[in-house]
Structures are given as C-alpha cells and as structure tokens.
C-alpha cells in the first residue's frame, strides 16, 4: 500500500456563480531528481510558483528507493501541505501536481499524481493537457482488467504504461509504447524507482521545461514553466521538445525522440494569458510579448482617450504597450484584491450582482469625467466584462473603450483548457458590434489573428490557435466534438 496522509479541508468545491470569465488552465506539473536534497520541500515551492495553473487540488509523490510516499488533497498548495506533511515525504525523486479539472470532476480521488503499480515498481504520473481518445483508451484498459478508480485521462496514461511494462518492456520502451496509444495534449512528469521522465506530445501543445541545480553532479528539474525553476534557484536549460522523452537518472539526462514526425503547436493562450509573465518562452519573458501585443493593438485600433489601464493582472503588460504606442497616459483604474482566492462561502444575491468588486474595485477619483481605455487579454462569456464596464461607469467614467489583446474566442478547447461549450462563447454567436452593445462600451476592438501570431516573432505555423479559428491540430473524435461544438459556424 502507498501511504496517504490526510488533511482536513472543505471538499464541497462549490463554484461561486461569478467565477472568472476566462478560460481556466488545466494544471501545473513539477518533477525533480536530486539525491541528498529535500525534494519534497523543493517540489512544494515549485508547485507554489505554478499555483496559477490550477487551484483545485495539489499533490506530491516521492520515491525512497522502491517505496512511494504520496500526499494529495483538495485545495491550494499552501492548504494541502505543511512542514509536518513534507517531512513525511522523504526520497531522492519527487513528482508534483496542481490541478484544475478538465477531464474528470473536481474530487479528491481525481487529484494527482496518479500512482499505479507495475512489475518494475510504482509509477507516479502528473499530467498537464487533455487526451481526446479517452473513451477508446478506457475501453482498452477495462478489457485488460485494470481497476480504474478515477475519471481522469491521466490515470489512463499511467495504466497504459503499466500494461506495457507488465508485458515485458522496460521503463522507456513501455512508456513510449503507451504514448503512441494517446492522442491529444500531454506534458507529463513521471516518477519511477529508477529515475524521472519528462514527456511532451508530438505537437508540444502544453509547455514543459528542464532546469539544472548547481550541484556536483548536476541535478535536474522539470516544470511547466520557468517560474517553477526560479523559485528553487534552478537554471533554465531548455524546453522538452515536442515528441521528446527525457530520462533523468544518476547518470544524468538522456533524450529519446519518441515520435518521428513532431510538429510544434504550442497553445498561443499560454503566451497571451495562462503562463506567468515572468516565465520564459522563446528566450524572453512573456511580459515582453504581452507588451508587444498592446503596441500592435494600439496600431490596429487607435482611439482618443485620457487614460489607459489594464484589467489586473493579465491585462497590464498589454495596457503599458498600448500606452507607449498611442501616447495615452497609462494609469491604474482598478485595484485588485490579491488575497481573494477560491471561496467556499456563497455570497448573497446582492453581492453576486456586484460580484466583480470582490476582486476588482475602481478608483473613482482617477476615472471621474475621463475617457478611459480598458485593456483585457480575452473575453469568453462576457459576463464579467459587462459588470466591469458598469463599475467603471458608476465610478464616473465619461467614455469606456475596451480593447482586447487577442482575437475573438469562437471555439472551445479540447486540449486541457476548461472552456464553455461553443454556444456559451459570446463571440461565437455575436458580432463585435453586438458584443459592444451587450457590454455597453462606447467602442470595442480585438487584436487581429495575424497580429497576435506575428507579434510572437516566431514561425506563425508553430502555434495552436484553434480557440480563435476552429482549426484543431489533433483530430477530435465526433463524440467528443459534439460535447462542446454546439454550433456549425461562428458568427464573427
């Protein structure tokens, strides 16, 4: 048996009515191979830095030889772990996960890492992404008499590896065979008694980076983003490439390109919104990219106004860029309560109606009588944006102009982002003019699709932008597609 420690935590996970009007990320993964280091504590801090990628559950599995210690529960990283729990997670290898549910409901049993037994010992798997062939894979595993205890695709990947290993393959061969059975998005950190793997799907839809610790011999760290390396003093080495498996052991790091036809399709929303602005992609911080988005937005959609500001925190870099190019003064029009996280206390009806003030409060003396430009990174349903515009007008803004540093979101994601069904996406059913009228703004403009991609300064074909175009890089089975694609055609 794998020991699991427990903590007391409200597991009702009731979602408050006014949840963020944004796509929600699936999760963050972290892994470390570092004998003689406190791997559990280092993983805790790595997950702490990746908390923005998922706030529903967190977990850490450590390997002490062949013995696995596991602790996972619902809640934020700081709620799930404390010093006492971390001291009960000894070992040389650790795998960590922080989760927002996409495939599989938000319950403790679905928290990760997923740990399963094989003939070579236990495997602990942490997954960022989403498979699109889960129905088929689940049927295959059930026919092989595996007892699936969760509703997650992540557990299925772990059992697929176990099946191949139990059939006689070693860790690398068994894992690669299992990956060929998986379709969709998967960035994985996988712990074994012998070493740790970092893996990306052939399109590299979700990020995964490698870092090094200053030690002799050099030790390695895996994380969804470079901010997970920075917090423990690890140096960024490189990305795990699409279709690559890296194997980290006492002998160092070895690379196994497991797919011979990788085609990079990094999720563009990682760059626009999901990843932290201080994380590195393409040898620069995402803060720099988001500032360029704002500059391009100002070029494409100029406006006369007195002040420009961003929706904290994700809209701020683009707002600064917009200000630099437009010449409109940058200021702060909204103050964010940064201590508001997930709450399990339901607000009253009157509070729900003005729920935006729970996180964002306008500066009345800054806004009064001013023509304001508010910058946000995206609009999904439009519910929060409308409340925000009302709050600005109530604060005395003379004009409210909204600019969005990405194109209209017209299609749902199937690769590890929790988006609504297509009929709930405001831009899938309404024109820009109709959206502006619904939000009650004076003007509304989105960044062009071309502008978004050209601003990356990378090959524009190397990104997945299906949420804006409906062009999915991995084919979506019809039964899966029907679950979210409610409309035949977007009307924008």
């Amino acid at each position: 048996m794998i020991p699991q420690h427990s903590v007391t935590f409200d597991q009702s996970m009731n979602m408050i009515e006014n949840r963020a009007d944004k796509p929600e990320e699936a999760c963050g993964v972290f892994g470390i191979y570092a004998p003689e280091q406190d791997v559990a504590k280092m993983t805790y801090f790595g997950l702490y830095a990746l908390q923005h990628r998922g706030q529903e559950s967190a977990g850490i599995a450590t390997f002490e030889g062949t013995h696995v210690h596991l602790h996972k529960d619902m809640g934020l990283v700081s709620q799930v772990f404390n010093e006492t729990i971390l001291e009960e997670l000894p070992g040389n290898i650790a795998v960590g996960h922080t989760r927002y549910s996409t495939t599989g409901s938000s319950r403790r049993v679905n928290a990760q890492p997923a740990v399963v037994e094989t003939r070579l010992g236990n495997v602990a798997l942490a997954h960022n992404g989403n498979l699109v062939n889960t129905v088929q894979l689940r049927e295959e595993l059930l026919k092989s008499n595996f007892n699936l205890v969760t509703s997650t695709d992540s557990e299925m990947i772990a059992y697929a590896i176990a099946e191949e290993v139990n059939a006689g393959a070693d860790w690398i061969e068994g894992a690669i065979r299992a990956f060929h059975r998986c379709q969709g998005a998967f960035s994985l950190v996988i712990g074994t008694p012998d070493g740790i793997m970092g893996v990306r799907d052939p399109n590299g839809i979700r990020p995964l980076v490698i870092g090094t610790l200053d030690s002799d011999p050099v030790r390695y760290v895996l994380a969804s983003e470079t901010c997970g390396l920075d917090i423990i003093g690890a140096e960024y080495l490189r990305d795990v490439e699409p279709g690559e498996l890296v194997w980290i052991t006492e002998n160092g790091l070895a690379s196994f390109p497991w797919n011979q036809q990788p085609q990079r399709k990094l999720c563009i929303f990682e760059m626009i919104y999901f990843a932290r602005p201080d994380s590195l992609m393409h040898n620069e911080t995402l803060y720099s990219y988001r500032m360029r988005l704002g500059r391009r937005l100002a070029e494409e959609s100029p406006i006369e106004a007195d002040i420009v500001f961003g929706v904290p925190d994700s809209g701020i870099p683009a707002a600064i860029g917009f200000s630099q190019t437009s010449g409109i003064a940058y200021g702060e029009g909204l103050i964010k309560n940064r201590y508001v996280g997930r709450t399990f206390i339901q607000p009253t009806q009157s509070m729900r109606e003005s729920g935006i003030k729970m996180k964002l409060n306008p500066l009345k003396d800054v806004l009064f009588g001013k023509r304001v430009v508010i910058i946000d990174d995206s609009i999904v349903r439009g519910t929060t944006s409308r409340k925000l515009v009302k709050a600005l007008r109530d604060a005395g803004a003379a004009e409210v102009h909204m600019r969005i540093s990405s194109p209209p979101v017209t299609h749902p994601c199937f690769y590890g982002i929790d988006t609504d069904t297509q009929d709930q996406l405001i831009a899938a059913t309404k024109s820009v003019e109709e959206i502006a009228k619904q939000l009650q703004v004076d003007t509304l403009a989105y960044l062009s699709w071309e502008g978004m991609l050209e601003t990356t300064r990378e090959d524009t074909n190397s990104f997945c932008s299906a949420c804006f175009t409906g062009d999915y890089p991995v084919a979506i089975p019809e039964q899966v597609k029907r679950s979210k694609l409610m409309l035949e055609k977007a009307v924008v």
Side-chain angles (χ1 to χ4, degrees), residues 48-64:
Y48 193 86
L50 298 171
Q51 184 73 84
H52 60 287
R53 299 186 69 89
Q55 298 88 44
E56 289 190 357
S57 66
I60 297 174
T62 61
F63 286 78
E64 187 181 24

Side-chain angles (χ1 to χ4, degrees), residues 352-419:
R352 276 198 293 269
E353 290 171 358
S354 60
I356 190 68
K357 293 182 181 179
M358 201 169 168
K359 288 189 176 181
L360 298 171
N361 209 25
L363 292 167
K364 294 182 180 180
D365 57 340
V366 173
L367 300 172
F368 188 81
K370 299 291 179 57
R371 300 170 298 171
V372 306
V373 182
I374 182 169
I375 310 290
D376 206 352
D377 55 80
S378 61
I379 301 175
V380 180
R381 295 183 304 279
T383 51
T384 300
S385 297
R386 183 169 180 173
K387 290 179 182 178
L388 190 53
V389 172
K390 183 180 185 301
L392 297 177
R393 293 202 183 278
D394 289 346
E399 296 176 11
V400 179
H401 305 277
M402 182 169 280
R403 295 294 182 266
I404 307 299
S405 60
S406 66
V409 176
T410 55
H411 289 73
C413 179
F414 297 92
Y415 306 134
I417 297 171
D418 181 26
T419 53

Side-chain angles (χ1 to χ4, degrees), residues 269-452:
F269 242 120
E270 291 281 357
M271 298 184 62
I272 294 169
Y273 169 65
F274 291 131
R276 263 179 38 174
D278 54 330
S279 285
L280 289 172
M281 288 187 183
H282 312 119
N283 298 312
E284 67 173 359
T285 64
L286 291 175
Y287 182 88
S288 297
Y289 169 66
R290 292 168 187 173
M291 282 185 63
R292 289 201 301 275
L293 290 175
R295 294 189 190 113
R296 180 68 177 254
L297 185 58
E299 293 170 358
E300 292 184 358
S301 303
I303 191 71
E304 289 188 6
D306 303 308
I307 185 173
V308 58
F309 54 90
V311 177
D313 290 312
S314 57
I316 290 175
I320 293 172
F322 192 99
S323 171
Q324 291 173 343
T325 294
S326 67
I328 301 171
Y330 172 80
E332 287 197 38
L334 294 164
I335 297 300
K336 180 179 180 180
N337 179 359
R338 289 174 171 82
Y339 296 94
V340 173
R342 184 178 300 282
T343 176
F344 300 97
I345 305 301
Q346 298 299 299
T348 65
Q349 180 61 31
S350 61
M351 288 173 67
R352 276 198 293 269
E353 290 171 358
S354 60
I356 190 68
K357 293 182 181 179
M358 201 169 168
K359 288 189 176 181
L360 298 171
N361 209 25
L363 292 167
K364 294 182 180 180
D365 57 340
V366 173
L367 300 172
F368 188 81
K370 299 291 179 57
R371 300 170 298 171
V372 306
V373 182
I374 182 169
I375 310 290
D376 206 352
D377 55 80
S378 61
I379 301 175
V380 180
R381 295 183 304 279
T383 51
T384 300
S385 297
R386 183 169 180 173
K387 290 179 182 178
L388 190 53
V389 172
K390 183 180 185 301
L392 297 177
R393 293 202 183 278
D394 289 346
E399 296 176 11
V400 179
H401 305 277
M402 182 169 280
R403 295 294 182 266
I404 307 299
S405 60
S406 66
V409 176
T410 55
H411 289 73
C413 179
F414 297 92
Y415 306 134
I417 297 171
D418 181 26
T419 53
D420 288 292
T421 54
Q422 193 178 23
D423 61 337
Q424 296 298 309
L425 304 175
I426 191 170
T429 59
K430 290 179 170 57
S431 68
V432 174
E433 292 75 19
E434 289 170 333
I435 297 170
K437 185 176 181 180
Q438 181 164 323
L439 300 185
Q440 299 182 346
V441 292
D442 292 280
T443 66
L444 169 67
Y446 291 83
L447 184 67
S448 68
W449 179 75
E450 295 82 3
M452 171 189 69

